[in-house]
Amino acid sequence: MPDRIQEAAAIFATYAWGPWLLVLLLGGGLFFLAYSRALPFRYLGHALSLLLGRHDRADDPGQISHFQALSSALAGTVGMGNIAGVALAISIGGPGAIFWMWVTAVVGIATKFFTCSLAVMYRGRDSEGVLQGGPMYVIREALPRRFRFLAYLFAAFGLLGCLPVFQANQLTQVLREVLFIEQGWLAAEANHFAFNLTVGLGLLLVVAPVVLGGLSRVAKAAATLVPLMSVLYVGGAVAAVLLNIDKLPGAIALIVTDAFTGEAVAGGALLSVILYGVQRGAFSNEAGIGTEALAHGAARTREPIREGLVAMLGPVIDTLLVCSATAFVILISGTWQSEGANGVTLTAAAFQELLGPAGLAIVFLSVVCFAATTMFTYSFYGSQCASFLFGAGSRRYYVWVYLAFIVIAAVVTMQAAIGIVDGAFAIMAIPTMVSSLWLAPRVMAAASDYFARLRAGKAG
């Protein structure tokens, strides 16, 4: 049965992530960048000011602050995609895949500005009358009725893509291989089903109290843990790179040259390098996927453009900063050329190679924290999709299904976990990008008005 699940998941992801999705995500992002004339990039300082709460008002509609919204979104993006996902990108797509992750991040900044501005601009009420945001509400509120099926398409695959399969799976792997087997507490050749099941049940006990507390508790946990662990992880990576600074130019050169040849791992299959880089980049920063809009759509604000500006900081932090840190450590260490290590195990080996036991401890703590915070946020994303499909009352039932999948994910293979999430994310990108491209003129009209008022000192 596990082999069949893995095979089905791989086929699903392969067909979903075709060249057409490359055109949709990269092409759409480039359109947003050109159409806005890079306008959002000129207001990065203002975005930071918004993030620090200098323009917050308690009476604005919404449920959480700008900072909590970005922290919640980052909890879903700064995580296993930045630690395990980068390692997978290098192992499968070669160092050149990192270059295409960077490209995805740059255009993703513009994409997030549009998608998350729309998430606030077109909020809708759920079956209990509570104001909610996200691609499905944007489609329902702003597009012609005949396109409403796109809203249901997003929500249906959101239920699947936001299950905690990748996070629980990789956290189990790092506990098993990096801690227990490494310390001799567990035999490498043994059947690990019982161990994996025990870890899954332990994760369930840790995650459940936060998840059952709803958005408010998720946002508070994310706002506390994500900044702290990001500083620890990036700080460790910077220390590792500085200690081996002479190897950094070679690592950068390898990334750039392999991006246009694909010879390092992909055997000259350039399209495979590009596709895998974009795929992992999309999983890392989720720009154009639509999940981030679910968090930002809950922000407390009357100005949609403000939330778009805050949201566009996401790809800068999670891909250009955290993913790059992981990539440089792996390439400088040389562990990416070794046999057997993949995913989070490869990243752990790289940190240990450069920093010794301290590096291993950094990765271990970061994985535990990032996996947990991602699972917190994904529970909110999934419950929003369930609420849209089946009514707000379904949230209480969905949460228990979500928690059960933490245990299930701990015992399935990594390939099956990746295939399920990647395939679902690909399908979710269709309604998100189609609706955002359609409504881009309305975002630019709102942006022109907001920035004019900002320059005149009337934006509040």
Side-chain angles (χ1 to χ4, degrees):
M1 181 62 74
D3 290 339
R4 291 183 179 179
I5 293 174
Q6 179 176 320
E7 182 180 354
I11 293 172
F12 173 44
T14 299
Y15 279 101
W17 279 93
W20 63 271
L21 198 64
L22 178 72
V23 173
L24 183 63
L25 289 175
L26 281 187
L30 288 170
F31 168 79
F32 290 136
L33 192 61
Y35 185 60
S36 66
R37 298 189 295 276
L39 182 65
F41 290 77
R42 291 176 248 159
Y43 289 90
L44 283 171
H46 181 54
L48 290 170
S49 176
L50 292 169
L51 185 63
L52 295 174
R54 293 173 183 169
H55 303 269
D56 285 357
R57 294 179 56 178
D59 61 340
D60 281 346
Q63 303 172 59
I64 55 179
S65 68
H66 290 299
F67 182 76
Q68 288 176 327
L70 182 62
S71 295
S72 297
L74 286 174
T77 57
V78 179
M80 302 313 297
N82 307 82
I83 299 176
V86 172
L88 286 168
I90 294 173
S91 299
I92 299 174
I98 302 302
F99 178 87
W100 296 107
M101 288 183 73
W102 290 341
V103 172
T104 304
V106 172
V107 299
I109 293 170
T111 299
K112 281 208 175 184
F113 173 74
F114 279 84
T115 57
C116 294
S117 293
L118 286 168
V120 175
M121 191 180 300
Y122 292 106
R123 289 194 271 210
R125 299 195 179 274
D126 61 20
S127 61
E128 293 179 347
V130 178
L131 202 62
Q132 305 288 358
M136 58 280 206
Y137 290 102
V138 171
I139 293 166
R140 191 186 74 181
E141 301 295 320
L143 296 192
R145 189 177 184 85
R146 64 181 180 276
F147 292 99
R148 190 168 291 183
F149 74 93
L150 290 172
Y152 293 102
L153 181 70
F154 175 88
F157 279 92
L159 287 177
L160 186 61
C162 294
L163 289 172
V165 289
F166 187 63
Q167 295 75 29
N169 181 276
Q170 287 290 274
L171 182 51
T172 302
Q173 179 179 325
V174 76
L175 285 170
R176 184 182 64 242
E177 298 183 15
V178 177
L179 183 60
F180 278 75
I181 292 178
E182 186 74 20
Q183 296 299 321
W185 301 337
L186 189 68
E189 65 278 2
N191 187 326
H192 298 139
F193 179 83
F195 175 85
N196 296 349
L197 181 61
T198 302
V199 172
L201 292 171
L203 283 175
L204 175 65
L205 295 176
V206 172
V207 173
V210 177
V211 167
L212 294 172
L215 176 59
S216 176
R217 193 174 297 174
V218 167
K220 288 178 181 177
T224 301
L225 293 173
V226 170
L228 179 64
M229 295 310 300
S230 296
V231 170
L232 173 66
Y233 183 77
V234 174
V238 169
V241 171
L242 289 177
L243 290 171
N244 300 271
I245 194 67
D246 57 308
K247 298 180 180 178
L248 181 59
I252 295 174
L254 180 60
I255 290 172
V256 175
T257 55
D258 190 56
F260 299 96
T261 62
E263 293 178 353
V265 172
L270 181 58
L271 182 60
S272 297
V273 176
I274 297 173
L275 277 174
Y276 207 78
V278 173
Q279 184 178 355
R280 298 265 59 87
F283 185 63
S284 167
N285 60 57
E286 299 180 14
I289 304 300
T291 48
E292 75 290 345
L294 292 167
H296 288 287
R300 196 163 46 243
T301 183
R302 296 182 186 277
E303 298 280 4
I305 300 305
R306 284 183 175 173
E307 198 54 35
L309 289 169
V310 171
M312 74 182 189
L313 296 173
V316 176
I317 297 170
D318 59 45
T319 304
L320 295 181
L321 183 60
V322 182
C323 283
S324 296
T326 303
F328 290 143
V329 170
I330 291 173
L331 294 176
I332 287 173
S333 72
T335 54
W336 65 281
Q337 295 174 306
S338 62
E339 295 290 334
N342 58 39
V344 69
T345 307
L346 175 58
T347 304
F351 270 80
Q352 185 175 26
E353 177 71 21
L354 299 182
L355 295 177
L360 192 61
I362 289 172
V363 173
F364 179 75
L365 289 173
S366 299
V367 167
V368 171
C369 175
F370 288 149
T373 53
T374 301
M375 286 189 278
F376 297 160
T377 297
Y378 273 27
S379 70
F380 169 69
Y381 293 166
S383 65
Q384 289 292 86
C385 292
S387 173
F388 184 83
L389 289 170
F390 309 114
S394 64
R395 286 194 187 97
R396 67 176 68 94
Y397 304 109
Y398 171 81
V399 167
W400 291 107
V401 173
Y402 182 90
L403 291 172
F405 265 90
I406 292 176
V407 181
I408 294 170
V411 299
V412 300
T413 64
M414 180 179 68
Q415 289 74 18
I418 294 170
I420 291 169
V421 174
D422 279 349
F425 269 31
I427 304 301
M428 291 161 68
I430 300 171
T432 301
M433 291 299 291
V434 168
S435 60
S436 298
L437 290 166
W438 187 318
L439 299 169
R442 302 189 196 181
V443 175
M444 283 308 299
S448 298
D449 173 69
Y450 176 76
F451 291 131
R453 287 188 286 117
L454 184 66
R455 288 190 294 270
K458 298 178 180 179

